[in-house]
C-alpha cells in the first residue's frame, strides 16, 4: 500500500497563482503523515488533490504524477478513486449522507455503498461506533447532533469503510481534548491495520502524538518536511504561522523567562 505524489502542482479554476507547487510526498503502508501550516497555506487543497477531488470535481489544472500502490491514477474516474482513498472534511455536515435518519445508518452507509455483506456491515458499524465511544448515539438523528458529535460520526463512517488510504482535513477542528484523543486513537488503529494516512491539523499536539512525519506548508509549497520530532521542534515553526506543541512551548517560555525547565516537567507531561 502506498500513495505518492511527484512534482505535483495545482491551480484552481480561474486563478493564475498555483495553490500547490512542486509537491513530493510518499506515504507507505501504516504511515501517518501530518500536514500543518498557516491559514491559506494549502492544507485543504493538498487533501483535495491527494483524494482526487481536485481537479475531477473542483476543476482547475494539475501537473505532476499521483500513484496509488504504484499505479498512476491520472485516468481514473472519481468513483474508482473514492473506493481506494477515504476523505474526511473539516466540516462534518458536508460529510453526512443527509439521507440516514439514525447515526447507525449513517455509519453503515459507506460500507453499504462498497457492497460489503450485511453481517459484516453491522459488525463494522458497531466496531467503528465503539472505537469513537459513540455507541450511545446509534439511534439519534445525525442531523440533530452537535458539530463535535457529527465530526465523530463522520470519522466512524470512514473507519467502517476500512480505507487503505485516508485523507483527513482538520478532523478535530470542532472537538474537545477528549474527542481529539478518540480521533487520535482511531487514526493509530487504522495505521496499525496498514492504512496510509494524511492528516492536516493546526493542533500540533495531535500531530506530535500520531504522525510519523510532518510537513509544513507555506504558500502551497513544503517549507519543512521531516520526522515529527524534528519538524515540530524547528525554530522556524513560529514564523511559518504554526504553534509548537504545548510541552515545547512551555519549555521555550521557561527558558526565555530564565526558569529551570526541570520545574515544568510535571505540567509539560500532563
Ligand atoms: N475554490 C477555490 N478557488 C480559488 N482559490 C482557492 C479555492 N480554495 C482555496 N483557494 C486558495 O488556495 C490557497 C490555499 O487554500 P487552502 O484552503 O488550501 O488553505 P488551508 O491551509 O486549508 O487554509 P485554512 O487553514 O484556512 O483551512 C489560498 O490562497 C486560497 O485562497
Ligand atoms: Mg483548510
Amino acid at each position: 500500500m502506498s500513495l505518492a505524489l511527484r512534482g505535483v502542482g495545482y491551480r484552481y479554476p480561474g486563478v493564475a497563482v498555483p495553490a500547490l507547487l512542486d509537491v513530493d510526498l510518499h506515504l507507505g503502508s501504516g504511515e501517518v503523515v501530518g500536514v500543518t501550516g498557516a491559514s491559506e497555506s494549502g492544507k485543504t487543497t493538498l487533501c483535495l488533490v491527494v483524494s482526487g477531488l481536485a481537479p475531477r470535481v473542483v476543476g482547475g489544472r494539475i501537473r505532476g504524477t499521483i500513484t496509488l500502490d504504484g499505479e498512476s491514477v491520472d485516468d481514473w474516474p472519481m468513483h474508482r478513486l473514492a473506493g481506494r482513498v477515504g476523505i474526511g472534511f473539516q466540516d462534518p455536515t458536508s460529510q453526512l449522507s443527509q439521507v440516514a435518519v439514525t447515526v447507525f445508518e449513517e455509519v453503515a452507509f459507506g460500507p453499504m455503498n462498497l457492497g460489503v455483506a450485511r453481517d459484516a456491515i453491522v459488525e463494522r458499524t458497531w466496531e467503528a461506533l465503539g472505537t469513537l465511544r459513540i455507541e450511545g448515539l446509534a439511534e439519534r438523528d445525525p442531523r440533530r447532533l452537535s458539530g463535535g458529535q457529527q465530526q465523530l460520526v463522520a470519522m466512524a463512517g470512514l473507519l467502517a469503510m476500512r480505507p487503505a488510504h485516508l485523507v483527513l482535513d482538520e478532523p478535530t477542528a470542532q472537538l474537545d481534548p477528549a474527542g481529539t484523543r478518540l480521533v487520535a486513537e482511531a487514526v493509530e488503529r487504522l495505521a496499525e491495520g496498514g492504512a496510509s494516512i494524511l492528516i492536516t491539523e493546526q493542533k500540533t499536539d495531535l500531530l506530535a502524538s500520531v504522525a510519523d512525519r510532518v510537513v509544513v506548508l507555506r504558500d502551497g509549497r513544503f517549507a519543512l518536511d521531516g520526522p515529527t520530532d524534528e519538524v515540530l521542534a524547528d525554530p522556524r515553526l513560529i514564523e511559518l504561522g504554526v504553534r509548537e506543541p504545548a510541552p515545547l512551548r512551555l519549555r521555550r517560555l521557561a527558558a526565555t523567562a530564565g526558569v529551570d525547565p526541570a520545574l515544568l516537567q510535571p505540567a509539560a507531561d500532563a
Side-chain angles (χ1 to χ4, degrees):
M1 304 287 197
S2 71
L3 197 166
L5 276 68
R6 275 232 315 275
V8 167
Y10 172 74
R11 292 167 202 259
Y12 281 100
V15 181
V17 188
L20 280 184
L21 208 60
D22 296 333
V23 169
D24 289 303
L25 182 68
H26 183 275
L27 281 95
S29 180
E31 195 172 19
V32 180
V33 174
V35 177
T36 190
S39 191
E40 307 259 287
S41 59
K43 301 181 295 296
T44 296
T45 306
L46 181 63
C47 291
L48 294 172
V49 164
V50 170
S51 65
L53 288 167
R56 288 172 186 74
V57 174
V58 180
R61 292 178 73 101
I62 192 160
R63 43 169 297 186
T65 52
I66 302 181
T67 53
L68 264 191
D69 307 325
E71 207 181 331
S72 166
V73 302
D74 284 357
D75 302 326
W76 289 25
M78 194 60 223
H79 67 84
R80 185 169 175 204
L81 258 178
R84 298 276 286 276
V85 186
I87 180 163
F89 299 100
Q90 186 176 354
D91 171 15
T93 51
S94 65
Q95 184 101 357
L96 299 179
S97 66
Q98 305 298 341
V99 294
V101 294
T102 67
V103 164
F104 189 90
E105 277 179 30
E106 181 66 50
V107 173
F109 196 72
M112 219 157 67
N113 276 338
L114 294 178
V116 174
R118 202 191 138 75
D119 288 355
I121 293 174
V122 173
E123 188 195 314
R124 284 187 186 199
T125 301
W126 281 120
E127 189 188 292
L129 292 172
T131 299
L132 294 160
R133 315 251 206 289
I134 50 171
E135 300 102 317
L137 299 179
E139 295 307 318
R140 297 274 301 276
D141 182 342
R143 295 161 296 187
R144 307 187 63 160
L145 300 173
S146 73
Q149 288 171 325
Q150 286 181 336
Q151 206 152 32
L152 292 175
V153 170
M155 184 74 198
L158 288 170
L159 285 185
M161 288 195 274
R162 306 212 173 139
H165 308 284
L166 184 62
V167 175
L168 298 170
D169 189 18
E170 299 200 40
T172 71
Q174 304 193 39
L175 294 177
D176 59 12
T180 300
R181 245 186 331 271
L182 291 172
V183 169
E185 283 170 25
V187 164
E188 279 167 347
R189 185 175 293 205
L190 270 176
E192 277 163 19
S196 50
I197 302 172
L198 183 81
I199 174 171
T200 83
E201 265 299 342
Q202 315 249 16
K203 293 180 186 170
T204 48
D205 289 289
L206 175 66
L207 295 184
S209 74
V210 301
D212 301 303
R213 284 192 299 128
V214 169
V215 168
V216 182
L217 278 164
R218 176 176 50 199
D219 297 334
R221 289 173 186 261
F222 286 4
L224 299 174
D225 178 6
T228 302
D229 293 348
E230 280 174 31
V231 170
L232 294 183
D234 195 297
R236 288 168 290 182
L237 220 50
I238 300 167
E239 70 198 49
L240 288 165
V242 175
R243 247 179 114 108
E244 66 221 298
L248 287 174
R249 187 162 65 246
L250 275 177
R251 244 163 266 162
R252 184 172 53 78
L253 292 174
T256 317
V259 176
D260 178 0
L263 292 173
L264 288 173
Q265 218 54 39
D269 291 344

